[in-house]
Each structure stands twice: as structure tokens, then as C-alpha cells.
């Protein structure tokens, strides 16, 4: 067997279609191997995808055939072969193997730990460094990379500046979450950041439109499928922006991300087992119906002109992972209201001229082709009471309480697009959220709940911009005033209305990929009971 063939250009599986009918070279690993008499069917992977090879015994040297026939899984190889179109192949192409150079052969006595059979989740997580190599897990990571790139791209192309807050902080952002504490120099204590928000409020006052993007840490002792102790958060902050403008910003942001994923990862989504039509519904124009103008005072969203299916359960599964419990199936419907034309399709409403320079006054009257439904907290509460009365959820929601995961799951299941629930009771939200001037018991805040039952993926608010009010809120929450003096200074020297939100990348990945648990959304999950590998 030779080294790489100079006449066969080096390429990747993702771009192999450009070389139909030509001999090419791939660098990768043997993922699987089947044999049928005098035919071998090796499957190779290279990080960009997988492709099946065809090796007739009569077409290659006997030594090459015998070597391939006895090659162990995950041995690293350099493969040369001719690209052939085949509509039956997942990628549309197969490889007529001409030569293979083995970089490393895994010994028979120490085989690759993860074989092509079901294994328990604990085993797979213990071998996460190897589990990542399977087609489904690799596809998830490729989609994650595009989600992160698209998230930053949206802000970079809409006049935002990326500013990086510190990871070590002297105080909590929200005061209620548990923090990872560490000794600092001398007798000082420091905490791992749970959000960059407070710091980018400062940079927003300098630059107008900013965002941060980095790891955050929360020491909440939660074992739910939605929680990690270490995760990535992207957080924009904008001066002269109110709550309505913030919701339009979030809508354009999510629309852009879904658009980018659909542009580049349809094959990966099929490998993962995601129903792509669910994502296409996010960016598809909403067809107005007579029912769309019906009042939501009864607490339930108006029915869609075309109902969609309930929670999507992946038809494809990781060949290594054992079956797990899935969400209950709940019928869904979409709700549409006329709203501003700005903010949809990836366009930031901040580019719209307004009476006050740089200020987004919120929604304007009109009809948009891509509108995320919006519910007030009161409307969502009424929806949950109605669901409980009809036996669709187990527990009745108590007015004034925050929504739990089952509540968010039910609400989001009723829509084919992300739904924005706004104006929660102020006493269940963070100290920095601006009270609603129409009802000071409510906060000018919003949670964006992903469809298919995935719950909250974005949380944001208009911030308190008055010095005295913010000072009193800090005191009411029993937070150390001295630690927040710098934050109060932002309201003391040139304060303006401003708003922002945060989106956890892992929850977004779970929703877009249709994953049951966030542990598969990040290369190495950190949870309550796992810090290895």
C-alpha cells in the first residue's frame, strides 16, 4: 500500500461531490466495515461526514483486500478512490477504493471501546472523548459551530461591538443563583460569572450596541435535562431600546440562526434525526387567518390555519445510545397577531429611523411575514389554568409564581414558532428589571420559549435606568450595596433606557437539533454529577 497519491487531490467528504468521476484522497478513520463474499464495504469518516467505500476483491491487490478485511474500527487511514454518484447513499456518493495507507491500526487485543451497538448513557458519557466520533454526535457539534457563528454574525453585521466581560467577578449578577466561589488574593473572594450582563451594560453606555459571548457558570443543584453547570451564553445589550424593540431583536436573531443552519446542515440534521420541516416553519411566512384576530383574553392562543404536529421525537438514533424516555405528545397550534414589519428575517429593528436618535420606539402597526407569537404573563397563566381544567397538565399554575419546566413545555408546545411571554410579576424576576409603568407589579421582561416543548431559550428585559429605583431594588434583594456601586454609577452619569437578553447556546442547540438532553449539545458536559472527562 502506497502513501498519498499525488495525482488524486486531497479533499473532504463534505466537498467530495465536486470530484464526481475523479480519483481523490481522503484522510480519516474507518468507522464501520461490512463484507459480502468478495466485496468489502468500508465506511470512512473524516470529521465532515461519512462515506461508504466499495472494494471488489478482483479490483485491488490481494494484500490490500486482506488488510482492509482485517482492519479494526477507528484505525486511522488515508484513502484513495474514485468518486461515484449513487442516489441510494446518504451523501449521494460512494467511493470506489483504489488504495489505503494505514496511519495507525488499533490492535485486536485493545479494540475501540465504543462498538456499533447500544450502550448506556453513563458508559457513553464516561467515554465522551470517543463518543464524539460517532456520526450523530459529530453532526451535532457541526450544527453547534454554525449556531455560534451565526449568533455572532447577526450582531456583527448589525452594528454591534463584541466586548468581553470578566469571568471572575466580585458579586452575583442576579443575587438568587448559587455561584461557584473561589479564594482570590489575600482575604478576597471571587465568583465564576453567571452572566456578563452587568458589565456589558457599562460597555453599552460607551458603544451603544454591544454583545458578549463566552462561558458562564451556575452552581444550581439541578438534575433536569435542561441544565448544565458550565455553558456558553451570548448576550446583547442596546441603549435607547425598549422591551418591544428587544423582542423584535430576539425574533430577528433567532430567525437568522435557523436560516443559517438550514442553509448548511440539512444532511447533518437528517443524521441527527431532526424533522427539518419544524425548522422551516420558524422562518416560513405566516398565513393570516380569520381566527388570528380573536382575543386571547380567554387565555388560549388562537388556532393556526395549518396545525403542526406535537413534540418531535427523533426517528434516527445514535447507534451507541440506549432508548430514553421521551416527551409526551401534545397537539400544537400557532398564534399570530398583526405587528411591526421590522425585526423579522434577520433584520435588526435598530436600523429603523426614529424620533429620538438611536432609540427604537418598539413595534409599529402593520403585518409581518414572519411573526413570533407574543403572550403576556397573564395570558399564559390563563392558558395553563385552562389546560389543567381539561386534564392536559398535572398541576395548576399559581398566579404570581414563575413558570416551571412543565409549564414552559406546555405553552411552547402550542406554537410552531418560538413564543414570547412578557411582563412577568416583578417579584419573581431579577432586581435590575424595569417595572412596567402601566402596572408596576410587572417587570418589562420577556422569556422566549422554543417550540416542540423545549422551553426557555432566551431571557431578557428592559433595565432599570433610574438611580434611586435601582438602589432601592438592590437593598430590597439584600445585596451588598458596595459591590454594586460601580453598577449604580451607570445610572448616575448619563443614564438612558436600555435593554438586553441572554441566550444559552446549549439550549438553542438542543431545540434546533431536537435533542432530549443538553448533555449532547456541548463537547464535554459539566453537570451536577459529572466533571470527567
Amino acid at each position: 500500500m502506497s502513501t498519498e497519491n499525488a495525482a488524486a487531490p486531497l479533499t473532504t467528504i463534505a466537498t467530495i461531490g465536486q470530484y464526481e468521476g475523479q480519483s481523490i484522497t481522503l484522510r480519516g478513520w474507518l468507522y464501520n466495515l461490512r463484507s459480502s463474499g468478495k466485496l468489502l464495504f468500508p465506511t470512512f469518516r473524516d470529521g465532515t461526514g461519512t462515506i461508504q467505500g466499495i472494494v471488489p476483491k478482483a479490483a485491488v491487490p490481494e494484500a490490500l483486500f486482506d488488510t482492509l478485511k482485517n482492519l479494526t474500527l477507528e484505525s486511522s487511514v488515508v484513502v484513495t478512490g474514485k468518486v461515484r454518484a449513487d442516489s441510494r447513499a446518504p451523501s449521494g456518493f460512494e467511493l470506489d477504493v483504489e488504495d489505503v495507507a494505514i496511519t495507525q491500526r488499533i490492535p485486536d487485543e485493545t479494540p475501540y471501546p465504543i462498538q456499533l451497538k447500544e450502550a448506556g448513557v453513563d458508559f457513553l458519557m464516561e467515554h465522551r472523548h470517543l463518543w464524539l466520533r460517532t456520526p450523530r454526535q459529530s453532526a451535532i457539534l457541526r450544527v453547534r459551530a454554525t449556531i455560534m457563528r451565526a449568533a455572532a454574525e447577526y450582531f456583527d453585521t448589525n452594528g454591534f461591538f463584541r466586548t468581553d466581560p470578566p469571568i471572575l467577578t466580585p458579586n452575583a449578577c442576579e443575587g438568587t443563583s448559587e455561584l461557584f466561589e473561589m479564594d482570590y488574593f489575600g482575604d478576597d473572594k471571587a465568583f465564576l460569572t453567571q452572566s456578563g450582563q452587568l458589565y456589558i451594560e457599562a460597555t453599552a453606555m460607551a458603544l451603544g450596541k454591544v454583545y458578549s459571548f463566552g462561558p458562564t457558570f451556575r452552581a444550581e443543584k439541578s438534575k433536569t435535562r435542561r441544565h448544565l453547570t458550565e455553558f456558553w451564553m451570548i448576550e446583547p445589550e442596546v441603549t435607547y431600546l425598549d422591551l418591544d424593540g428587544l423582542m423584535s431583536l430576539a425574533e430577528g436573531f433567532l430567525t437568522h440562526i435557523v436560516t443559517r443552519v438550514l442553509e448548511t446542515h440539512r444532511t447533518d440534521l437528517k443524521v441527527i434525526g431532526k424533522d427539518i420541516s419544524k425548522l422551516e416553519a420558524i422562518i416560513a411566512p405566516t398565513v393570516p387567518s380569520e381566527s388570528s384576530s380573536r382575543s386571547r383574553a380567554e387565555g388560549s392562543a388562537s388556532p393556526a390555519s395549518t396545525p403542526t404536529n406535537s413534540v418531535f421525537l427523533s426517528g434516527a438514533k445514535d447507534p451507541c445510545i440506549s432508548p430514553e424516555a421521551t416527551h409526551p405528545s401534545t397537539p400544537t397550534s400557532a398564534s399570530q397577531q398583526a405587528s411591526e414589519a421590522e425585526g423579522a428575517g434577520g433584520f435588526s429593528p435598530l436600523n429603523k429611523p426614529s424620533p429620538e436618535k438611536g432609540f427604537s420606539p418598539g413595534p409599529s402597526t402593520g403585518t409581518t411575514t414572519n411573526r413570533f407569537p407574543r403572550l403576556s404573563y397573564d395570558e399564559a397563566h390563563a392558558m395553563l389554568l385552562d389546560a389543567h381544567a381539561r386534564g392536559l397538565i398535572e398541576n395548576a399554575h399559581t398566579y404570581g409564581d414563575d413558570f416551571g419546566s412543565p409549564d414552559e413545555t406546555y405553552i411552547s408546545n402550542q406554537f410552531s414558532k418560538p413564543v414570547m411571554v412578557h411582563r412577568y410579576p416583578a417579584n419573581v424576576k431579577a432586581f435590575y428589571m424595569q417595572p412596567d409603568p402601566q402596572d408596576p407589579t410587572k417587570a418589562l421582561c420577556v422569556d422566549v420559549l422554543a417550540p416542540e416543548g423545549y422551553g426557555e431559550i432566551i431571557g431578557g428585559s428592559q433595565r432599570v435606568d433610574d438611580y434611586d429605583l435601582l438602589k432601592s431594588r438592590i437593598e430590597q434583594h439584600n445585596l451588598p450595596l458596595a459591590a454594586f456601586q460601580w453598577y449604580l454609577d451607570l445610572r448616575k452619569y448619563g443614564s438612558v433606557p436600555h435593554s438586553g437578553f441572554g441566550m444559552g447556546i446549549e439550549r438553542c442547540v438542543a431545540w434546533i437539533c431536537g435533542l432530549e438532553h443538553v448533555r449532547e449539545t456541548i463537547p464535554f458536559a459539566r453537570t451536577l454529577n459529572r466533571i470527567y472527562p
Side-chain angles (χ1 to χ4, degrees):
M1 288 169 291
S2 67
T3 57
E4 294 181 31
N5 188 340
L10 181 66
T11 187
T12 65
I13 292 170
T15 59
I16 206 167
Q18 302 173 16
Y19 298 92
E20 183 182 352
Q22 301 179 44
S23 291
I24 55 87
T25 299
L26 296 174
R27 295 171 178 168
W29 297 263
L30 178 68
Y31 173 67
N32 192 17
L33 179 64
R34 295 184 297 108
S35 63
S36 178
K38 296 181 180 182
L39 279 175
L40 298 180
F41 301 95
T43 300
F44 302 104
R45 67 173 188 86
D46 72 345
T48 70
T50 61
I51 190 169
Q52 179 174 274
I54 309 294
V55 190
K57 187 172 184 179
V60 297
E62 184 175 354
L64 172 59
F65 188 88
D66 291 341
T67 299
L68 264 177
K69 185 175 182 179
N70 295 294
L71 193 58
T72 49
L73 298 187
E74 283 302 311
S75 292
S76 47
V77 295
V78 179
V79 183
T80 301
K82 182 172 289 186
V83 180
R84 176 170 45 82
D86 190 326
S87 60
R88 298 167 299 175
S91 65
F93 298 93
E94 289 188 337
L95 191 68
D96 292 327
V97 177
E98 299 169 340
D99 196 9
V100 176
I102 299 174
T103 306
Q104 186 200 46
R105 184 183 188 278
I106 297 177
D108 294 300
E109 56 271 20
T110 56
Y112 188 66
I114 299 179
Q115 298 295 306
L116 299 182
K117 58 183 180 180
E118 289 184 352
V121 171
D122 287 342
F123 174 83
L124 293 172
M125 290 303 294
E126 197 75 8
H127 295 82
R128 180 65 172 166
H129 53 296
L130 303 177
W131 188 23
L132 292 172
R133 301 183 185 186
T134 60
R136 185 170 183 269
Q137 297 301 313
S138 296
I140 291 169
L141 293 187
R142 288 192 290 269
V143 173
R144 174 192 169 95
T146 291
I147 288 172
M148 296 181 77
R149 181 168 59 252
E153 175 186 62
Y154 181 77
F155 295 127
D156 289 339
T157 56
N158 275 285
F160 286 68
F161 298 95
R162 177 170 175 168
T163 59
D164 301 313
I167 290 177
L168 295 177
T169 66
N171 53 266
C173 172
E174 298 182 4
T176 57
S177 299
E178 295 182 46
L179 302 173
F180 287 106
E181 182 180 317
M182 59 178 288
D183 291 328
Y184 204 55
F185 298 105
D187 295 327
D188 287 343
K189 297 289 184 181
F191 304 93
L192 295 180
T193 183
Q194 62 180 347
S195 169
Q197 178 207 314
L198 303 191
Y199 289 96
I200 64 171
E201 285 188 53
T203 58
M205 296 299 170
L207 299 172
K209 298 194 293 187
V210 300
Y211 74 99
S212 65
F213 202 174
T216 54
F217 309 85
R218 299 206 176 185
E220 296 168 297
K221 295 182 179 179
S222 174
K223 297 181 180 179
T224 77
R225 62 185 176 89
R226 297 177 180 174
H227 285 84
L228 297 170
T229 57
E230 177 184 341
F231 56 97
W232 280 67
M233 182 91 80
I234 187 163
E235 300 176 272
E237 195 73 28
V238 186
T239 56
Y240 294 104
L241 186 71
D242 62 11
L243 177 63
D244 290 317
L246 183 70
M247 289 192 281
S248 293
L249 177 64
E251 180 177 339
F253 173 68
L254 289 176
T255 301
H256 178 78
I257 290 173
V258 172
T259 300
R260 283 286 183 260
V261 170
L262 287 173
E263 285 174 349
T264 55
H265 291 290
R266 288 178 178 267
T267 298
D268 281 329
L269 292 169
K270 290 179 181 178
V271 170
I272 295 166
K274 176 70 177 184
D275 184 348
I276 295 176
S277 67
K278 302 288 187 178
L279 295 179
E280 291 173 334
I282 307 301
I283 61 175
T286 298
V287 180
S289 65
E290 292 180 3
S291 61
S292 66
S293 61
R294 191 178 71 179
S295 170
R296 292 177 294 185
E298 296 177 357
S300 61
S302 54
S305 55
T306 305
T308 59
N309 293 329
S310 59
V311 179
F312 171 70
L313 304 180
S314 171
K317 67 175 182 176
D318 193 309
C320 301
I321 193 167
S322 301
E324 294 184 78
T326 54
H327 300 300
S329 178
T330 308
T332 63
S333 63
S335 171
Q336 287 306 127
Q337 290 279 63
S339 71
E340 72 280 279
E342 303 286 3
F347 177 73
S348 169
L350 306 176
N351 295 325
K352 180 183 177 182
S354 56
E356 185 173 352
K357 185 178 181 181
F359 179 70
S360 174
S364 58
T365 302
T367 302
T368 179
T369 57
N370 179 37
R371 167 73 171 148
F372 291 0
R374 301 182 184 186
L375 297 175
S376 69
Y377 172 90
D378 288 359
E379 290 171 322
H381 167 72
M383 178 187 290
L384 292 171
L385 289 185
D386 177 69
H388 179 259
R390 292 188 287 139
L392 299 178
I393 56 176
E394 183 176 356
N395 299 314
H397 181 256
T398 301
Y399 188 84
D401 289 352
D402 206 348
F403 297 131
S405 293
D407 301 323
E408 292 180 348
T409 296
Y410 178 80
I411 294 169
S412 62
N413 262 333
Q414 309 313 305
F415 302 92
S416 61
K417 295 176 183 282
V419 56
M420 299 181 171
V421 183
H422 55 88
R423 291 172 171 82
Y424 286 68
N427 59 6
V428 299
K429 290 299 184 179
F431 71 93
Y432 51 74
M433 294 187 179
Q434 179 78 12
D436 184 350
Q438 304 300 319
D439 180 1
T441 67
K442 302 285 176 48
L444 292 178
C445 62
V446 62
D447 286 349
V448 182
L449 310 182
E452 305 175 60
Y454 279 92
E456 181 191 344
I457 52 172
I458 282 179
S461 72
Q462 187 171 330
R463 320 304 192 188
V464 173
D465 53 57
D466 179 76
Y467 179 94
D468 292 331
L469 177 57
L470 181 61
K471 182 173 180 290
S472 68
R473 295 295 297 274
I474 292 172
E475 292 170 340
Q476 289 168 14
H477 283 72
N478 297 315
L479 298 172
L481 197 60
F484 288 92
Q485 191 56 56
W486 70 269
Y487 187 58
L488 282 165
D489 280 349
L490 304 180
R491 279 73 178 172
K492 189 175 182 179
Y493 303 108
S495 183
V496 299
H498 59 290
S499 302
F501 64 74
M503 184 187 79
I505 292 296
E506 288 71 24
R507 288 192 181 185
C508 184
V509 173
W511 159 50
I512 287 179
C513 291
L515 306 180
E516 183 67 24
H517 201 291
V518 291
R519 62 180 164 232
E520 294 182 58
T521 65
I522 191 169
F524 297 97
R526 295 293 175 254
T527 63
L528 181 61
N529 298 316
R530 179 163 299 281
I531 199 171
Y532 177 88

